[in-house]
Amino acid sequence: MSLPYETVIGVETHVELATRSKMFCPCSATWFGAPANSLVCPVCLGLPGALPVPNRRAIELAMTAGLALHCEVPAHTKFDRKNYLYPDLPKGYQISQYDLPLNVSGWLALDTPDGPKRVRIRRAHLEEDTATSKHGEGYALIDFNRSGVPLLEIVSEPDLRSADEAVAYVQALREILVFAGVSEMRLEEGAGRFDVNVSIRFTEDGEVRWPPQSEIKNLNSYAAIREAVPHEAERLWRSWRDGGELRMRTGKITVGWSPERRETFLQRSKEEVEDYRYFPDPDLVSFTPSRETVERLRASLPELPGDRRARFARVYALSDYDARVLVADRALADYFEAAVKASTRDPKQIANWVTGEVRRRMKDAGDGAGVPFPPEQLAALVELVASGEVSGSAAKEVFGDMWTTRRPPSEIVRAKGLTQVSDEGAIAAAVDAVLAENAKAVADYRAGNARALGALVGQVRKRTGGKANLSVVNRVLAERIARGEATR
Amino acid sequence: MPIDRRTVVHAADLARIALTDAEVERFTGQLSVVLDAVARLAEVDTSAIPPSASTLPLRNVERDDEPRPGLGAEEALANAPRGGRDGEFFRVQEVLQER
């Protein structure tokens, strides 16, 4: 059933940049899990007289993100103070960028069920993160470790039309930023947060109506976006239909999302409209990106996920699914490509290992674990299977051994005696013996019971110690039975 | 450039300063005088001067991304006001967000 209104969505994404130190001071930016208030200095504590100095790497990462999102780099940019009072903001203002952001007017390509779509990016600017708070009964505990960590805020135009599309957008955005090395964007560590602007548009009395939006603040997971967006859109629709608050107001409101109660709640109404009194930060000087820097960053931009997926499908003849799974993880995609380069076999065979066993093992090993052996060894294993030296099932065993012992596959095959017997003579002898002993199964098979063949194959395998090459066994069996038929 | 009571009340609210009615009255007059004094800058002809965000003759001041140890928790927390420390945290009054 289709809704009586269209949902119009724009997303503001905050991501922490992958720097080692903070935005304006040399304190470590690796705040997650650090003892409270251990990574602080006069600058990020907002002590009087402390002076901020921008982190070059943070600026370059922010520019890299802009280039990956097809943004324009302005001739000049600067930092401004955004003034508001809150316990997690020690200076009483946040250093951000107001009218001259580092990146403007970009776009991101999105695959939607209705075909490809471009989501326009209005701007992407640099700012500093706030401290973290833990809330108690009537008080809050503040930890300034996160205060001053570089943050990139990426603002989309209201080009998204459903919660699913919004989620697809943030997933695509995350993929690009992780690929470009801009951010690790670990959502579970709060390194990516979303403010989602939701409004509804509909026709009433022959007129298109588009009442003011709600901004849902601080969503931190895809699941939260998926739930909060339709909830708020429906709330807005009911409010309009029942003559509620939406009929009265002329500006946007800010709401929060309670995952426990699964509903939004009002944070700030129009009367308390934000008044940030932005002005240029007098402690910081303006910034003019040089041509050389821009070109250097552009040149070092890696191939982006969408392009890489298309190339994988085209060059390696992979399915869309395989290309997607591989490209979802840059390290995995690089590993796959290195293994393909080291192999003369069909890349699909390499892909099967990487998307299957390799990924499964990596998942079991936990976060951050890589493949314990070089890609050339995976290529060697594929070669052993493709040449018929080991069977598919034995190859799995070899793979498991490679993972734990890191020994080359050929060595494991030799040590464990896993070489499969492909020698026709040996297999034919076994087949003849089995046929002689299993006249009934042969007769059953001839009578049309195809399953009887399986039993015969099993017998041959057993006779050869499980090492007979199955494709040879099948062929020889079929030949012998057919010949037996002919000579009868 | 006279300003009205509402602007003064709003500014005080943004700065979290509690003003009595008498103070609002007094500051409304005083702030108007201050603004008038500053507004004289508008008389200067700036049509030939490019806009600038900073008066410093500097650009692109940056530092390398090299982490260095800061104050550490003990020294940092030594600045907390009385009752403003709770273990390794700064303790503040709750700010209610949800209504």
Side-chain angles (χ1 to χ4, degrees):
Chain A
M1 197 194 78
S2 79
L3 297 169
Y5 54 85
E6 179 182 38
T7 311
V8 180
I9 305 160
V11 182
E12 296 169 19
T13 308
H14 297 84
V15 298
E16 288 187 346
L17 299 177
T19 57
R20 299 171 63 213
S21 65
K22 292 188 179 180
M23 185 63 230
F24 296 110
C25 63
C27 290
S28 167
T30 315
W31 62 273
F32 190 84
N37 290 302
S38 61
L39 310 173
V40 292
C41 77
V43 172
C44 54
L45 284 169
L47 299 186
L51 285 174
V53 185
N55 181 336
R56 178 181 303 115
R57 175 98 180 126
I59 292 176
E60 292 193 355
L61 288 175
M63 290 170 71
T64 299
L67 294 170
L69 294 169
H70 315 93
C71 286
E72 291 165 22
V73 185
H76 303 288
T77 175
K78 67 179 167 72
F79 290 103
D80 303 278
R81 292 185 179 180
K82 177 182 181 179
N83 300 279
Y84 66 94
L85 294 175
Y86 208 74
D88 62 14
L89 194 67
K91 299 190 293 296
Y93 61 84
Q94 178 189 33
I95 306 177
S96 181
Q97 298 193 286
Y98 183 51
D99 55 340
L100 290 176
L102 200 48
N103 305 286
V104 293
S105 306
W107 54 267
L108 177 151
L110 200 61
D111 288 328
T112 76
D114 305 326
K117 171 172 188 165
R118 269 190 188 189
V119 181
R120 290 168 300 153
I121 306 291
R122 185 182 301 166
R123 55 186 283 161
H125 68 257
L126 256 179
E127 57 188 31
E128 53 178 348
D129 209 344
T130 59
T132 51
S133 330
K134 280 198 216 177
H135 297 275
E137 201 58 52
Y139 65 93
L141 299 178
I142 313 292
D143 171 5
F144 288 98
N145 284 346
R146 199 182 69 183
S147 171
V149 167
L151 212 54
L152 184 69
E153 177 173 338
I154 301 154
V155 183
S156 87
E157 296 288 350
D159 288 349
L160 302 158
R161 293 291 174 268
S162 68
D164 284 344
E165 221 169 86
V167 169
Y169 162 76
V170 296
Q171 283 175 330
L173 185 59
R174 178 179 188 278
E175 194 179 52
I176 288 172
L177 297 176
V178 172
F179 238 77
V182 168
S183 173
E184 294 181 11
M185 223 175 145
R186 293 180 197 274
L187 297 182
E188 67 282 8
E189 295 181 6
R193 303 186 288 277
F194 314 99
D195 298 338
V196 182
N197 285 286
V198 179
S199 58
I200 53 170
R201 193 158 53 192
F202 50 91
T203 307
E204 189 181 68
D205 306 329
E207 265 184 69
V208 175
R209 302 216 182 265
W210 193 8
Q213 81 254 38
S214 301
E215 179 176 1
I216 314 172
K217 280 275 184 195
N218 225 358
L219 297 174
N220 54 15
S221 69
Y222 302 142
I225 296 174
R226 219 171 253 133
E227 278 200 280
V229 167
H231 169 88
E232 185 61 13
E234 188 61 23
R235 193 193 68 73
L236 288 172
W237 170 247
R238 289 199 182 145
S239 173
W240 181 270
R241 196 192 54 193
D242 304 342
E245 60 95 14
L246 191 56
R247 294 257 180 185
M248 318 302 158
R249 73 174 150 101
T250 51
K252 84 169 181 185
I253 55 167
T254 303
V255 300
W257 169 249
S258 164
E260 293 82 25
R261 300 204 313 269
R262 306 177 77 183
E263 60 183 31
T264 52
F265 56 88
L266 183 67
Q267 279 186 331
R268 204 158 43 205
S269 66
K270 191 215 149 202
E271 288 70 41
E272 313 152 71
V273 71
E274 300 156 352
D275 186 350
Y276 292 129
R277 293 149 291 145
Y278 282 98
F279 65 89
D281 191 321
D283 289 342
L284 292 157
V285 299
S286 74
F287 185 78
T288 306
S290 75
R291 253 310 99 218
E292 297 80 63
T293 305
V294 175
E295 286 322 310
R296 174 169 56 80
L297 295 175
R298 198 190 298 278
S300 61
L301 207 59
E303 183 184 29
L304 291 172
D307 301 333
R308 197 173 202 190
R309 269 195 298 272
R311 182 170 61 83
F312 273 23
R314 192 180 65 241
V315 176
Y316 303 127
L318 297 184
S319 68
D320 186 55
Y321 172 82
D322 281 345
R324 231 161 243 291
V325 170
L326 289 171
V327 174
D329 180 338
R330 185 176 175 182
L332 205 64
D334 289 346
Y335 191 90
F336 163 77
E337 288 218 271
V340 168
K341 280 203 180 75
S343 172
T344 54
R345 301 291 176 174
D346 182 0
K348 171 68 185 160
Q349 295 184 24
I350 308 268
N352 287 346
W353 282 102
V354 177
T355 58
E357 291 295 298
V358 170
R359 234 162 44 98
R360 194 174 58 74
R361 292 264 177 178
M362 279 169 74
K363 204 177 269 177
D364 291 347
D367 213 24
V371 185
F373 49 81
E376 291 74 20
Q377 300 212 353
L378 183 67
L381 177 63
V382 166
E383 184 57 37
L384 289 176
V385 180
S387 65
E389 197 170 331
V390 295
S391 68
S393 55
K396 279 216 171 123
E397 190 181 336
V398 175
F399 180 88
D401 235 52
M402 289 164 70
W403 197 278
T404 45
T405 66
R406 298 170 190 210
R407 284 190 303 167
S410 54
E411 201 181 302
I412 295 166
V413 168
R414 217 174 315 128
K416 294 193 135 186
L418 291 169
T419 310
Q420 85 182 335
V421 176
S422 298
D423 172 43
E424 290 241 11
I427 289 175
V431 166
D432 288 340
V434 167
L435 288 179
E437 288 166 14
N438 295 275
K440 180 161 175 352
V442 175
D444 284 352
Y445 175 67
R446 284 196 173 127
N449 182 0
R451 288 172 64 186
L453 189 69
L456 294 171
V457 171
Q459 291 281 337
V460 177
R461 292 267 288 165
K462 209 162 157 193
R463 221 165 232 284
T464 53
K467 290 178 191 170
N469 182 330
L470 273 183
S471 60
V472 179
V473 173
N474 277 317
R475 182 165 49 76
V476 174
L477 252 180
E479 279 170 14
R480 296 280 157 135
I481 293 175
R483 199 185 307 156
E485 202 142 61
T487 53
R488 215 154 40 135
Chain B
M1 190 203 267
I3 60 169
D4 58 12
R5 286 180 56 93
R6 263 189 56 193
T7 309
V8 174
V9 170
H10 179 59
D13 186 47
L14 288 172
R16 306 287 192 273
I17 298 172
L19 296 182
T20 63
D21 282 352
E23 283 170 326
V24 171
E25 204 61 49
R26 190 158 86 240
F27 292 141
T28 303
Q30 287 186 358
L31 287 171
S32 294
V33 174
V34 171
L35 281 181
D36 280 343
V38 176
R40 289 178 58 201
L41 282 172
E43 293 165 16
V44 182
D45 179 10
T46 56
S47 55
I49 300 171
S52 164
S54 164
T55 54
L56 296 171
L58 287 171
R59 261 176 208 292
N60 298 14
V61 177
E62 299 167 312
R63 52 165 243 281
D64 290 333
D65 182 28
E66 282 297 330
R68 283 207 311 265
L71 294 177
E74 272 315 308
E75 211 178 337
L77 289 157
N79 285 306
R82 190 189 302 267
R85 176 171 180 177
D86 191 333
E88 300 300 292
F89 292 90
F90 290 90
R91 184 183 168 122
V92 298
Q93 271 188 312
E94 175 71 297
V95 181
L96 285 179
Q97 273 211 331
E98 195 169 338
R99 270 172 295 169

